Amino acid sequence: MHAIHQTLLPPSSVHFSLFLPNFTPSTIYPLPKPPTAIDTNDIKVAGNLIVAGGENLRVFEIREEQIPIAAERSDEGVNGVNEAVVVGDAELGDGFFDDGRAERALLKYETTRRLHLLSQHILHGTITGLAGLRTIESSVDGLDRLLVSFKDAKMALLEWSRGDIATVSLHTYERCPQMNTGDLQSYVPMLRTDPLSRIAILSLPEDSLAVLPVLQEQSDLDPLQDGYTRDMPYSPSFVLSLSDVSPTVKNIQDLLFLPGFHSPTLALLYSPTHTWSGRYQSVKDNYCLEVRTFDPSSGSSYPLLTSVTGLPSDSLYLVACPAELGGVVLITTTGVVHIDQSGRTVGARVNAWWDYVTDLRSDKTSEDRKLSLEGSRSVFVAERDMLLVLQNGDVHQVRFEMEGRAVGTIKVDEQSSTVPPPSSVVVAGDRAVFVGCAEGDSVLARVNMVREALEVNGTNGDEKKDEMDVDWDEDLYGDMNDPANSGIVNGNQHEPTGPAKISVSPYDVLSGVGKILDMEFGIATTDQGLRTYPQLVAVSGGSRNSTFNVLRRGIPITKRRRFNELSTAEGVWFLPIDRQSGQKFKDIPESERTTLLFSTERNATRIFALSTKAVPEQIGRIDGKTLAAAPFFQRSCVMHVTPAEVSLLDSNGKLLQPICPRSDLPAIASASISDPYVAIRRVDGSISLFVGDTVARSVTEAPFPDLALCQTIEVFSDSTGIYRTFEPVRSADQPQVNGNASRSSAIRQGQHSRMQLTQQQIKRLQEQEPAISTDAPSMETTMNTARGSQWLAMLTKKGELQIRSLPDLTLVLQSNGLSSSAPSFTDDLADGEVGEQDDGDEIRQMELCPIGRGTLRPHLIALHQSGRLNVYEAQPRFTVDASAHSRRSLAVRFRKVHTQLLPIAGGSTKLPYTVIPFSNIEGLTGAFITGEKPHWILSSDAHPIRSFALKQAAMAFGKTTHLGGAGEYFIRIEDGSFICYLPPSLNTDFAIPCDRYVMERTYTSISFDPTSAHYVGAASITVPFQAYDEEGEIQIGPEGENLIPPTNQRSTLELFSQGSDPWRVIDGYDFDQNEEVLCMESVKLESPGATGGYRDFIAVGTGFNFGEDRATRGNLYIFEVVETVGQAGKAGGSGWKLKMRTKDPARNPVSAVNHINGYLLNSNGPKIYVKGLDYDDRLMGLAFLDMMLYATSMKVFKNFILIGDLCKSFWLVTLQEEPYKFTTISKDLQPISTVTTDFLVHEGQVNFVSNDRNGDMRMLEYDPADPDALNGERLLLRTEYHTGAPVTCSKVIARRKTAEEEWVPQTQIVYATADGALTTLVSVKSARFKRLQLVSDQLVRNAQHIAGLNPRAFRTVRNDLLPKPLSKGILDGNLLEHFAWQPLGRQREMMRQIGTDAVTVASDLQALGGFW
């Protein structure tokens, strides 16, 4: 059997984050400004943020904007009346001149920052580190470089080029001796770079380093024979064993480069000897710190600068201090230690365990904080102030107080704020930090720094000055004691210089699912309970609380009311026409208030006047099918287009002017309207453009310079300012400068600023930017500035995309990239025609519209004849690739951000697809695609384009506000015509739409009770650990005032409400002290009193954690969700309760439960039991099986049981009922640490799939006829496949069988991972598998992969027992997704070699998407 592994929900956890000041050109050049933002402050890019988690790499802009805030008036009288300000004998009141600040409060602004996604890629490797570099080319283009490390000892140097990430080089060390023979189990890769970008290192096993020297000097480049210089920005890398540097350097704990040194200086934290808490009396303070110079240019000598021994044995990590402070900070579990360059140590304890761990002297003033620093992250935000973020997200300020030039004391303040549990913390620009979280949402936070004013010479700054002390500068700058001037003295800002109090507050939130602890399928209802659909509840979180992510495939249709008048509509247009009879709403602007409706069906069009009445009023009827209708002449008229004519209608639908009357010309095929332009395309491909005059109220046809035949035409407006043009530049205008000389000059100038661009360099780069065209505003633009600039886009029959500016129709872009489905394209700058494209897949529709929420981004949506849908984002360009261009060029790069194949059965469909743009539906702006399989196309600032499908076919769609709701829309589906709305709680940031509910507790397990349709969750509460001896007596541990007590987890079972108020706890059950839920399942057991003889229960297995000195045990519980009737006089009425049916003590933990044929299966340490529920109140043992060490999973299919073990893989067992007996069929003999085991069924065949803790998937089968199977006693391994992140849980769902099928035809396995991803495994037929396997081979060889990684090597599992890897049984779905992103020419070339076509391959991938 073969299968395909695909990603349903990409990983969203953030494990690594990095801030680079200048990674993209937008940080150097100013962003385009919208035409409506003339009087507002510019939006600037403060830097770039790169985040990584698992295989997901994302690049963001941090956009900074000044937002006005309401200011309090400080010059109001007692009754709130403004009083005149008297200066001397002159009264400044009413007069000819401006009264100034005396009459108006100052307009204050608040700085806010937002994350803006630029690029996102799923790489073929697990990311283990991020670092920034500035190579020798950074002095030329001013951009930083990104260094990424991967699992298996790889480093890739990346840069930003042509609107996306590009690979510079890949450095691999996977075949070095340290990786082949070293200890990989304890290997933790660490990537570090020098602050001046002179060297980069990657830690390897066996205390070794991979060293990559980076060139920064022009003299370091080796000249070649032809006179040109070598363009590689690095020298050959090498592997350095730290034992050759110093024989005492062993067991590296952390390392980092220190700033402020002339040569690269590395601090090493290591432990020559091992110890643990039981050996503290004999071996303590075993950590050492060495500071050495690592300069590859000096040869093999690495001078020792500082060496410190006797550091605490609970040391965690190092933090580099700013150059002004000097030294390094050591974070331990019990305190903070500063070590300066001379080796002097200053410590501060944060709990009383310090004396038990180390003999190092420390300050006790912060001992009463009682903090635990395991899992914490630290970062300096000022010269002497550091933020300490604990594992639970609490933020503390660490202050370093000086005594002369050395650190005297370290103070840890109380908690100042709270952020998500951190996985990484980095400084993100001026007074901002980014806190990455692996368990949920990450946050970009503002650093609030408030300094106290110090008294000078015994006086305070608040004292009033003497009346004789006159400062004449107050006439110009105002009173310096006035709060409105904020301490401005002589035009300069004067800030207090006292101690700073630091806290953080959120700027922006980067939403993420985070680590998924458990998931469960359930049934949800819609349409007032008439329809049901499956939903998946994923429980994420862990450290502080949990989030319930209720996922569903597709956006639900939430109906508000039925619209019977449009039951046969084929197309609708809700128009915001300015009508006196239209009803006004407070929260809806005039430009969005829909008052007129055009509905077309067959060959007629009806016109309705809209209001809040239940039945709309029909006010007109037009013969002919409507192709387009839109507001015209500033919403006073309607431009209406039918296949026969173009007409201008008044606000009541009456004819005002026939624009293009009926004639013998070919019929109109499509039209595009953007006030005051109308473009039509006829069936023969000819086009016409009409222009309206708002003042004269007339429309005339405009002469077109080129009468080329077109596939599609579109008139669009741009309100974002992205669409702008470069001025033409001729060769004669370019100064004749030697390119190598200018490059060398730029390199020499940039050598003085290796860490960051200077203002002089930024000014030089901005002066080199091509000039932007500035057109004089036309009359139409002046009358309606909110509309922005207007453009005409047309796609010719030859496949050439042309964009022309309006109203002059000047050609500013021509390219064949759209028709060839190129990954990105810009203006080809060709004076003649571009090459003709013959791909046979014409574009049916092209829409240029904004998509987003908050910040709108212009996009181009292209719908091909074959059903291929491509979405391109229009990104601003700041430089021109060509040195000279003779015409204006559009300063836009179109980059493909989404592609998919819409299902078309047999090459055609009864209901064609149509792209309909919409704006502001619950704050969302995007497009809706009507057809057999309709889709929403949505996006947001920090997330990419998302496509969400609907379960039913959609015939018509339109956004409306005539009922008073801003989030309402009309849709005609199979059930009828309705006014619907998007639920406000719907989250569309992820690949699967969901509702998110933040809980107050941490939940570890969840189950769904089918009878009551309620969810039951197991909460884990952190409580002080209580130790007991064998007799059950309480053991007393160390006692102290500031000792942190050890903690343990105690579970509770909670029943959640459903309906309009979901996920509210309505009942629960508290377990015993030290008892924790290990497993929970919904089981169906025999019950004589139930209908059908079976009843649904909740089975819970628990275990006790008594510590390492006492044996553990467990319990098995059976709960039932029962409905109760409220007592008279009590509020609440009827409800649901948890009722415990029975409790069965066990001698070992119960780690797995399930049910089979009405009986209960449970583990009891190394045994498996099958039990029956007798009289619904007790469990009776029927049979048992002695097996392995610790059961991790137990899955049932018909009468077969798969039992996974923590150390010994899994067994295949069956249950016999007469007599009751377990029979072992076969087992896997390999020592695999199994997490989940599942059955994969396909057309009567079954395979067994297991996942281990390393993220490896193994597919096995049972074949007793094979000689290697040992007569069936051994399961045969067929495929090994690396999934990336470890799997945390799995669920199996089955496709419903038809009447002709005798058995379950196919199953699908859904996996949840530790990185917050949802993946799936689906079986594949043999013929389809062979075809897709050939496609995968072509993609490995011919496609360009980010960072130069090998997809096949990433999925290969290292197995020393096999002669060659078994990697050809499971297809890589992430790799096959790259096929749709390839240009059409490359697709045809690859398909020609394997004998198929691109549409067949795309259809295969779509058919393998699963059935949920």
Side-chain angles (χ1 to χ4, degrees), residues 921-1060:
I921 298 182
E922 286 295 339
L924 295 171
T925 298
F928 186 87
I929 303 176
T930 60
E932 289 291 334
K933 297 293 182 181
H935 285 77
W936 293 84
I937 306 296
L938 305 173
S939 179
S940 60
D941 290 351
H943 298 274
I945 289 287
R946 305 296 189 188
S947 176
F948 303 123
L950 262 68
K951 299 296 184 182
Q952 303 184 53
M955 298 75 167
F957 174 87
K959 186 240 180 175
T960 179
T961 58
H962 71 279
L963 296 181
E968 296 176 348
Y969 62 92
F970 166 82
I971 187 171
R972 181 192 163 207
I973 54 179
E974 298 172 356
D975 294 346
S977 300
F978 303 93
I979 298 294
C980 307
Y981 65 95
L982 289 179
S985 61
L986 183 66
N987 188 305
T988 58
D989 291 339
F990 307 123
I992 302 178
C994 67
D995 294 329
R996 309 190 71 199
Y997 301 90
V998 179
M999 313 302 290
E1000 296 180 355
R1001 295 182 176 180
T1002 299
Y1003 292 85
T1004 58
S1005 303
I1006 191 170
S1007 292
F1008 179 75
D1009 182 60
T1011 303
S1012 62
H1014 282 70
Y1015 287 90
V1016 179
S1020 180
I1021 305 174
T1022 301
V1023 296
F1025 174 73
Q1026 187 61 65
Y1028 299 90
D1029 57 13
E1030 294 296 335
E1031 288 76 19
E1033 298 294 334
I1034 297 178
Q1035 293 182 334
I1036 305 299
E1039 295 182 354
E1041 180 182 359
N1042 295 322
L1043 287 176
I1044 302 177
T1047 58
N1048 194 15
Q1049 304 298 319
R1050 178 181 179 181
S1051 294
T1052 63
L1053 204 64
E1054 297 179 354
L1055 176 66
F1056 299 106
S1057 63
Q1058 292 298 309
S1060 60

Side-chain angles (χ1 to χ4, degrees), residues 5-19:
H5 180 260
Q6 296 174 300
T7 300
L8 297 177
L9 182 68
S12 56
S13 296
V14 176
H15 295 285
F16 305 96
S17 56
L18 174 68
F19 175 79

Side-chain angles (χ1 to χ4, degrees), residues 111-132:
T111 301
T112 181
R113 297 182 180 181
R114 296 288 184 266
L115 293 176
H116 188 86
L117 179 67
L118 294 181
S119 179
Q120 176 176 353
H121 293 280
I122 302 296
L123 308 184
H124 301 290
T126 302
I127 300 174
T128 59
L130 300 175

Side-chain angles (χ1 to χ4, degrees), residues 56 216 250 339 377 386 452 729 824 1231-1232 1264 1278 1353 1380:
N56 193 5
Q216 295 291 344
K250 300 178 181 178
I339 306 169
R377 296 292 185 271
M386 184 178 72
E452 299 177 358
V729 177
S824 66
I1232 304 297
R1278 296 305 186 191

Side-chain angles (χ1 to χ4, degrees), residues 627-628 632 639 641 646 659 668-682 686-691 699 704 712-716 791-794 806 809:
L627 297 179
F632 217 71
M639 183 62 68
V641 181
V646 180
I659 307 302
I668 300 174
S670 63
S672 177
I673 305 172
S674 178
D675 186 16
Y677 298 99
V678 181
I680 62 173
R681 182 185 65 88
R682 300 185 183 273
S686 60
I687 60 175
S688 300
L689 179 65
F690 301 91
V691 182
V699 181
F704 208 80
T712 180
I713 189 170
E714 178 79 8
V715 180
F716 66 97
W791 309 81
L792 174 66
M794 48 187 292
L806 293 175
L809 292 176

